[in-house]
């Protein structure tokens, strides 16, 4: 039996972190968590990490796509927070962000980690950005690290 899996050390690999400014009070905590995970768990050199800021979650897919197509990165991490309001706006922003990033992920030949909160309340956003329900930025960075290595392991094994 052959088992292919990736570890989380990715020294020498290059990462783009695409971050929305909207709801920055939670998104900055996602960014802190993602950077800490890349550097401390992944042992990624800070010089190999590029942070790209965009206005809101709606703009994440086009920039993630541009970064993915540049050929300069081994993985992309998308971070944002869409918080439901009293209008259908939430559905449009969250839906397009989710759909667009899923498409980039499938089209690109590099991993794209989804670190976008889609929540009903500010409390839920706070809980998922470094308090009692963890930190979605940390999870996304973990996923990116593992995926970079599992794709490399597949190339080596096959
Ligand atoms: N952008 C977010 O990242 N989160 C939100 O909760 C949000 N809401 O609710 O409006 C939001 N809107 C802005 C949107 O992403 C675009 O930046 C804007 O529509 C301009 O294209």
């Amino acid at each position: 039996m052959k088992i292919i899996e990736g570890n989380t050390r990715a020294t020498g690999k290059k990462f783009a972190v695409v971050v929305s400014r909207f709801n920055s009070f939670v998104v900055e905590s996602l960014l802190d968590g993602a950077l800490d995970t890349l550097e401390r768990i992944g042992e990624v050199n800070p010089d190999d990490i590029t942070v790209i800021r965009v206005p809101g979650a709606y703009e994440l897919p086009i920039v993630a796509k541009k970064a993915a197509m540049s050929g300069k990165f081994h993985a992309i991490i998308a971070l944002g927070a869409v918080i439901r309001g009293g209008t259908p706006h939430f559905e449009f922003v969250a839906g397009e962000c989710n759909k667009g990033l899923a498409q980039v992920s499938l089209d690109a030949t590099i991993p794209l980690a989804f670190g976008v909160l889609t929540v009903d309340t500010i409390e839920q956003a706070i809980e998922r950005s470094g308090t009692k329900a963890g930190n979605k930025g940390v999870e996304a960075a973990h996923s990116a690290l593992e995926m970079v290595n599992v794709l490399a392991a597949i190339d080596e094994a096959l």
Side-chain angles (χ1 to χ4, degrees):
M1 180 174 62
K2 190 182 265 186
I3 296 177
I4 301 174
E5 59 187 356
N7 61 28
T8 53
R9 187 168 173 274
T11 308
K13 298 289 195 294
K14 296 190 189 310
F15 293 80
V17 188
V18 188
V19 193
S20 70
R21 294 185 196 280
F22 208 101
N23 292 324
S24 63
F25 71 104
V26 285
V27 178
E28 288 304 308
S29 299
L30 302 181
L31 178 60
D32 288 347
L35 295 177
D36 180 64
T37 302
L38 290 178
E39 291 172 25
R40 212 167 39 79
I41 310 295
E43 297 177 38
V44 177
N45 186 327
D47 290 343
D48 289 333
I49 303 170
T50 302
V51 174
I52 307 172
R53 293 191 186 270
V54 301
Y58 193 83
E59 284 76 31
L60 287 170
I62 187 171
V63 174
K65 180 171 183 179
K66 181 127 178 134
M69 306 292 270
S70 73
K72 298 208 166 109
F73 303 105
H74 294 91
I76 312 291
I77 299 168
L79 302 177
V82 194
I83 303 175
R84 192 183 290 278
T87 70
H89 195 66
F90 169 94
E91 265 79 25
F92 295 124
V93 173
E96 290 309 306
C97 172
N98 175 40
K99 212 170 358 131
L101 290 175
Q103 193 185 323
V104 173
S105 177
L106 291 176
D107 291 349
T109 49
I110 60 168
L112 187 147
F114 185 74
V116 181
L117 299 174
T118 50
V119 293
D120 288 332
T121 65
I122 287 173
E123 287 71 25
Q124 288 174 344
I126 292 169
E127 282 169 9
R128 288 158 181 76
S129 57
T131 60
K132 69 180 184 189
N135 183 319
K136 200 48 98 186
V138 169
E139 271 177 43
H142 260 287
S143 163
L145 290 166
E146 183 173 341
M147 286 299 293
V148 161
N149 286 323
V150 81
L151 291 186
I154 291 170
D155 285 341
E156 273 167 35
L158 302 182

